[in-house]
Amino acid sequence: MKLTGFTRRGLGRLCLLWLLVLTGAAAQAAATTPVPKVQVPGKSSKPAKAVPPPKPVLTPPAGNLVIIGGGLRAENAEVWQRIVMLAGGKGARIGVFGSASINPESAAQATVNKLNQYGAQAFAIPLGVTWPNSDYRKAAEDPEVVAAIHSATGIYFTGGDQARITRALVRTDGSHTAALDAVWDVYRDGGVLAGSSAGAAIMSTTMFYDAKSTLDMLKQGVNEGHEIAAGLGFIGEDVFVDQHLLVRGRFARMIPVMLKKGYQIGLGIDENTAMVVNAKRDVEIIGYSGALLLDLSAAITDRGIKGFNISNATISYLDRGDKFNLVTREFTPSPDKADNKLDPNQPDTREPVYTNDILGNNAVLDLMVNLIDNAQQDAIGIAFGNPRDFNPELGFEFRFSKTINSVGYSSTEVEAYSVLKLRMDIRPIQLQQPLYRYR
C-alpha cells in the first residue's frame, strides 16, 4: 500500500506519543524503585559517612606560659617578677589554684603571699578536689568562681599531684568545666599562665600520672591511665613537658612517652628554673639552672633488639638566658655566651667521659658539658638498679656522640655552658649478677 503524506505524519505523531508515554513510565519507576547497592567483592557495603562540620578556628593564645620545674624559692626574684610583669606589672590580679595540693587552701595562700611580695594583688581560687567544705564539681561550674578567674590577668598552678588539677577542672566525660574555659580565656586574651612542678606537668597534652621510677619505665614501658594521662595542653599538641628534670634524672623517662604519643619535641625544666613561652613560641630559660631539649624527629628504634632502645635522638642543654623557637628550631645563646662559641679544634680536655649512674643528680648535664669541650667524640653513661629490684640484670647504655651539628657555648662571666645537638643512643645491656664480690 502506498502511504500518503498525511498518513505518514499521523503515524510519526503516534510513535512519538507512545515514546513519551514509555519515557514517563520509566522515570516514575526510577523514582519509586530503590537503586540496588553495588557489592564490591571482598568488602561489606557500608553507608557513606556524613561529613563532619568544620571545627571552629580558634585564635592562637596571645598570652605567655611560665613553666617552672618545681622547688621555686621565695628569693628567686627573676621568676617571680617575670610572672607579675607578664600579668601586667604592679597590682596585677593573679588567681592561684592550689588544686594539686592535699591542702589546697594553704598551698594557694602561700603562693598568694609570695606573689604579693613582688607587687601583685593575688588571690586564691577556691577550687580543689580536697578543698575543705566544698564540692569541687559544683565549684568548677560556679558563676562566682568563673567570674573571679575572668577578672585575673594571670593564673598560677601550685605543685602537688597533677591528677588533682585535671580532676578538678575536667568533667568526667572529658569536656572542659566552666572554670577551665575561663582559664583558657585568660590565656587567649594575653594573660600569663604559670605552673610549678605539678602545675608544669599539666602544660602539655600528655602528663605523667602514676609514674614508676625512670628505670622501671624503660624496663616496663608506659601505659595510658597508669603512668600517663591527658594534660591540659596549654603549650600545644606538639611539645611534651616534664619537670624536676636534672635534679631527679628524669630526662630518660620522657623518651618512651614521646615515642608512644608521637611527640618529636620534649622540654624538661629543672628545679628553681622556668621556661617562658610567648605567643611566637619563643622559649626563654630564666632562674637558677636550665632545661633539656629532646628532638626525636630523626630517631629510630630497632625492633630486632629485645627491650627499649632508640638511636639517633638529639639532646641539647639550654642554660639560663638561652632562647629557642619551637617553630623555627632556632637557638639564641644568652648574651654572656654569644661571642664565646667553643672551637672543636681546640678542646679543653682529652680524657674519656663516663658515668655509671646517668640517671643521677645532674649526671647527664655533667656528661654533656664534659663531652662538648673534649677531644673525645663520644661518652657513655650506664643505668642499672638495685640488685633487689625487678629484673636486676637488665640495664641500659646511654651513648652520647658529637656530630657535625654539635655546638657548645661557654659563658664569659661564670662557669656555665650551653650544649646543642648531641646524638644520643640508648640500648639494653645484660648485667652480670652479682654486680660485685667481696675481696
Side-chain angles (χ1 to χ4, degrees), residues 283 285 293 316-326 328-334 337-338 407-409 417-421:
V283 179
I285 310 300
L293 168 67
S316 303
Y317 173 71
L318 310 180
D319 193 34
R320 56 181 300 178
D322 292 343
K323 296 181 180 179
F324 179 80
N325 186 274
L326 292 170
T328 64
R329 309 286 175 91
E330 292 181 358
F331 169 82
T332 304
S334 59
K337 302 191 196 81
V407 181
Y409 292 86
Y417 292 83
S418 302
V419 183
L420 305 180
K421 298 182 178 180

Side-chain angles (χ1 to χ4, degrees), residues 10-313:
L11 183 60
R13 289 175 179 172
L14 183 61
C15 291
L16 180 60
L17 179 61
W18 274 108
L19 181 61
L20 290 173
V21 171
L22 291 173
T23 302
Q28 183 178 2
T32 58
T33 304
V35 178
K37 295 179 181 179
V38 178
Q39 297 289 337
V40 179
K43 293 185 178 181
S44 60
S45 177
K46 294 183 179 180
K49 293 183 178 180
V51 178
K55 293 182 179 180
V57 178
L58 298 176
T59 304
N64 296 270
L65 303 175
V66 180
I67 305 173
I68 307 157
L72 180 59
R73 299 190 176 186
E75 66 271 18
N76 193 332
E78 184 179 17
V79 176
W80 292 108
Q81 288 175 350
R82 182 68 68 91
I83 296 169
V84 175
M85 184 271 289
L86 291 173
K90 187 176 181 179
R93 286 183 56 79
I94 301 176
V96 179
F97 283 88
S99 310
S101 174
I102 191 66
N103 193 340
E105 189 173 19
S106 63
Q109 190 58 50
T111 299
V112 165
N113 295 340
K114 291 176 185 176
L115 288 167
N116 289 346
Q117 289 175 12
Y118 288 93
Q121 289 185 356
F123 60 94
I125 297 172
L127 172 58
V129 175
T130 56
W131 194 280
N133 304 315
S134 175
D135 183 338
Y136 71 91
R137 296 178 186 85
K138 292 180 179 178
E141 312 292 350
D142 188 334
E144 291 187 6
V145 173
V146 172
I149 296 171
H150 275 137
S151 74
T153 53
I155 300 292
Y156 190 106
F157 293 94
T158 69
D161 183 350
Q162 52 264 33
R164 294 193 187 107
I165 300 176
T166 55
R167 186 179 171 191
L169 289 176
V170 180
R171 299 188 184 111
T172 54
D173 63 0
S175 61
H176 288 191
T177 61
L180 181 53
D181 279 336
V183 172
W184 271 101
D185 288 342
V186 172
Y187 181 35
R188 290 194 181 100
D189 291 344
V192 58
L193 300 190
S196 178
S197 188
I202 63 170
M203 293 291 178
S204 51
T205 53
T206 301
M207 67 181 192
F208 283 105
Y209 180 64
D210 186 16
K212 301 188 288 281
S213 72
T214 297
L215 188 60
D216 282 343
M217 276 188 273
L218 294 179
K219 290 181 178 182
Q220 302 174 43
V222 294
N223 299 284
E224 295 277 1
H226 293 278
E227 288 76 28
I228 56 175
L232 299 183
F234 296 119
I235 199 172
E237 297 181 352
D238 57 338
V239 179
F240 180 65
V241 173
D242 200 5
Q243 22 71 36
H244 293 283
L245 205 82
L246 296 171
V247 169
R248 302 187 186 182
R250 286 180 168 178
F251 76 99
R253 78 176 193 171
M254 297 173 64
I255 301 171
V257 177
M258 292 173 65
L259 291 174
K260 182 178 183 67
K261 303 298 292 186
Y263 292 100
Q264 292 188 356
I265 295 294
L267 284 169
I269 186 71
D270 199 24
E271 292 184 0
N272 203 24
T273 310
M275 302 183 290
V276 181
V277 186
N278 66 18
K280 296 181 180 179
R281 308 201 81 195
D282 294 312
V283 179
E284 179 186 2
I285 310 300
I286 63 173
Y288 175 74
S289 182
L292 284 180
L293 168 67
L294 295 175
D295 185 344
L296 304 188
S297 56
I300 58 174
T301 58
D302 187 345
R303 295 184 180 180
I305 297 177
K306 185 179 180 180
F308 173 81
N309 70 93
I310 191 169
S311 299
N312 206 34

Side-chain angles (χ1 to χ4, degrees), residues 371-428:
L371 177 61
I372 198 63
D373 200 13
N374 196 311
Q376 303 291 331
Q377 293 302 301
D378 59 16
I380 292 177
I382 301 298
F384 57 90
N386 188 301
R388 299 175 181 177
D389 287 346
F390 169 80
N391 201 359
E393 68 278 3
L394 175 60
F396 294 88
E397 178 196 78
F398 292 70
R399 183 178 295 270
F400 299 78
S401 308
K402 287 186 284 191
T403 71
I404 59 173
N405 297 315
S406 301
V407 181
Y409 292 86
S410 177
S411 172
T412 56
E413 300 176 0
V414 294
E415 188 175 352
Y417 292 83
S418 302
V419 183
L420 305 180
K421 298 182 178 180
L422 291 178
R423 171 174 170 155
M424 179 174 63
D425 303 315
I426 307 173
R427 62 178 297 153

